[in-house]
Amino acid sequence: MDRNLAPVSTVDELMTLLGDCAGKWDMPDRSGDPVDILDHDSQCAELLREQFPDDEELQVAGLVHDIGHVLVPGDDAGHGRHGSHAVRTLLGERVARLVELHVTAKRYLAATDSVHAAALSPSSQRTLVAQGGPMTPAEVAAFEADPDFHVAIALRKADDAGKVIGLTVHPLRTWRPVIERVAAAR
Ligand SMILES: [Fe+2]
């Protein structure tokens, strides 16, 4: 197995990996999000903390949702899967699933919400095709029946909103106790 695809096994290791997201970009040629992955993931997690203060698994899923871009640079279509695989052992099945579902939810919104679809950033519109394109009606129905459907959509909307250049976020270290609680409870 590629060393970068080995599961993250400790909170220390995850903190190091998240720290490594500073100055890294979802698209290696910087044609994607206008903030680096650490800023983007932090903004996403903070939006989720405001909306779902009691769901720390969701917040942490937001914080780690794009680490797949750092684990396997340039594999946009696979980044949800890579990130999910990396955190499953440490953070548990639900967090891992939510990480993978942030790509699935994009395909859902592309099929069901024309306003959202039209507002996707140009790079998000480009990568949608490689990610499978808009869901089919059968896929839409199956996703709506998922117990985590609503939070997966919330994560996706925070993902789309968490790209504000220059926004001040809490330092990464402030997330450590939250990550520790999620890891301890899995
Ligand atoms: Fe993202």
Side-chain angles (χ1 to χ4, degrees):
M1 180 187 292
D2 188 314
R3 185 167 52 88
N4 288 336
L5 289 178
V8 174
S9 54
T10 65
V11 173
D12 276 342
E13 219 179 294
L14 182 59
M15 294 303 290
T16 300
L17 178 57
L18 285 167
D20 286 346
C21 291
K24 300 266 173 53
W25 305 82
D26 60 337
M27 296 290 167
D29 65 0
R30 293 194 55 174
S31 63
D33 291 345
V35 293
D36 71 20
I37 295 175
L38 179 58
D39 271 337
H40 168 61
D41 278 2
S42 300
Q43 289 185 30
C44 181
E46 290 192 10
L47 287 166
L48 291 166
R49 180 161 56 189
E50 285 164 20
Q51 296 164 42
F52 299 88
D54 299 328
D55 193 343
E56 292 191 327
E57 289 181 340
L58 174 62
Q59 297 163 25
V60 169
L63 186 68
V64 303
H65 82 272
D66 269 347
I67 58 171
H69 284 305
V70 175
L71 296 169
V72 186
D75 183 10
D76 188 78
H79 83 277
R81 213 171 50 249
H82 300 316
S84 176
H85 172 75
V87 301
R88 180 169 281 110
T89 307
L90 181 67
L91 301 176
E93 182 58 32
R94 181 166 178 256
V95 174
R97 250 193 112 234
L98 288 172
V99 169
E100 185 155 11
L101 287 180
H102 89 271
V103 178
T104 310
K106 176 179 169 183
R107 296 185 55 233
Y108 173 83
L109 289 169
T112 59
D113 184 339
S114 55
V115 175
H116 180 272
L120 280 178
S121 67
S123 117
S124 240
Q125 285 175 1
R126 274 197 304 278
T127 53
L128 176 63
V129 177
Q131 290 162 345
M135 280 185 175
T136 64
E139 289 173 319
V140 165
F143 190 43
E144 287 174 346
D146 191 297
D148 269 331
F149 166 70
H150 289 288
V151 290
I153 294 298
L155 197 162
R156 182 67 221 183
K157 291 192 169 172
D159 182 7
D160 291 325
K163 304 180 180 184
V164 180
I165 297 170
L167 188 73
T168 301
V169 292
H170 292 90
L172 175 59
R173 67 175 183 280
T174 62
W175 283 102
R176 185 176 182 114
V178 186
I179 292 172
E180 282 173 345
R181 282 193 292 276
V182 168
R186 82 195 185 285

